Amino acid sequence: PITSLRSLVSSGALSLSALKSHIRHSHDTFESASLLLAAQRRYVNDAQLDLDNKLFEKGHFARAVTTTLDFHSAVSDADVGLLDEEAFLATEKGAAAKKAAEEAARSAHGEEAEEARRHVIGLARHEFELAARKDLVQQRLTMQQEKLKLTAQIASEKSYHSTMDESLRAIHSASVPLQDTLAANGGTTVKQSKDAAAAAAAAAT
């Protein structure tokens, strides 16, 4: 009986050890599966977020395209007065645009080549014109500021001259009694002196 009991205990211990090993393996497998599942969930979430962003951008671009196609300018292209293509290509930016257009044309095929060339040239012309007109607007603002400065300066000088005129009139009014006193005492007034000088100059001629 004791030998049989020992055999059973030994067998049970082996079975228990095998069970623990199985449980440990199952636990490790579960942990690995959990980590893999978490990684897959992060991948799916990132992919979903990226898809949502792409769909948002697609909607934004679709609205922009629709707005552009539906846009009708109140001013015709002829009235806008873009620099003609030949004159534009003669500029430094035009030469660079021509080179880029030729590269774009080589990357396309058939009719798409010409379309790609004209697209690159067209964009470059509009960018060139936009930069030039922004520069003109800035020049206009600068000239307007200069005009305001000159207007203020002229107004200040006009005010100064007006003040000088008033001062001269006041000096003249104050000198009248002195002239009258000089005239009464046999002297000459300023007007008489000027008349005498004018008469002498006329006689000399």
Side-chain angles (χ1 to χ4, degrees):
I2 294 176
T3 303
S4 177
L5 181 59
R6 286 178 178 176
S7 178
L8 289 173
V9 170
S10 178
S11 178
L14 291 174
S15 298
L16 182 60
S17 177
L19 179 60
K20 287 181 178 180
S21 178
H22 179 71
I23 291 175
R24 188 179 301 107
H25 177 71
S26 298
H27 181 268
D28 292 342
T29 303
F30 177 76
E31 287 295 326
S32 299
S34 298
L35 292 174
L36 180 61
L37 179 61
Q40 292 295 329
R41 283 179 176 173
R42 286 195 299 271
Y43 174 78
V44 171
N45 290 337
D46 291 342
Q48 183 64 47
L49 180 62
D50 186 60
L51 176 61
D52 292 340
N53 290 335
K54 290 294 189 293
L55 291 175
F56 176 80
E57 291 179 1
K58 177 184 176 182
H60 175 74
F61 286 127
R63 289 191 297 271
V65 170
T66 301
T67 302
T68 303
L69 293 176
D70 293 342
F71 175 77
H72 296 286
S73 176
V75 182
S76 65
D77 291 343
D79 293 334
V80 170
L82 286 177
L83 186 67
D84 62 83
E85 185 172 329
E86 183 178 353
F88 167 69
L89 294 178
T91 65
E92 182 179 352
K93 291 186 178 297
K98 182 179 180 180
K99 182 177 179 181
E102 291 173 351
E103 293 178 355
R106 283 195 295 268
S107 301
H109 302 283
E111 296 180 355
E112 294 181 356
E114 177 61 19
E115 183 177 350
R117 189 195 72 81
R118 296 194 62 81
H119 177 71
V120 172
I121 294 294
L123 286 179
R125 285 179 65 196
H126 282 83
E127 290 176 357
F128 178 83
E129 195 72 31
L130 180 61
R133 297 193 183 201
K134 283 183 177 180
D135 185 58
L136 288 175
V137 170
Q138 186 59 44
Q139 291 182 25
R140 178 173 177 268
L141 292 175
T142 302
M143 293 178 67
Q144 286 179 334
Q145 292 174 356
E146 290 295 329
K147 177 183 177 182
L148 291 175
K149 290 180 181 179
L150 289 174
T151 301
Q153 182 179 352
I154 291 172
S156 177
E157 292 179 355
K158 184 177 180 180
S159 176
Y160 173 75
H161 292 158
S162 176
T163 303
M164 288 293 295
D165 290 342
E166 293 177 359
S167 299
L168 290 174
R169 284 195 293 270
I171 293 172
H172 176 72
S173 298
S175 65
V176 169
L178 178 59
Q179 293 182 45
D180 293 340
T181 300
L182 291 173
N185 293 332
T188 58
T189 64
V190 175
K191 183 177 184 303
Q192 290 171 341
S193 297
K194 288 183 178 180
D195 292 342
T205 58

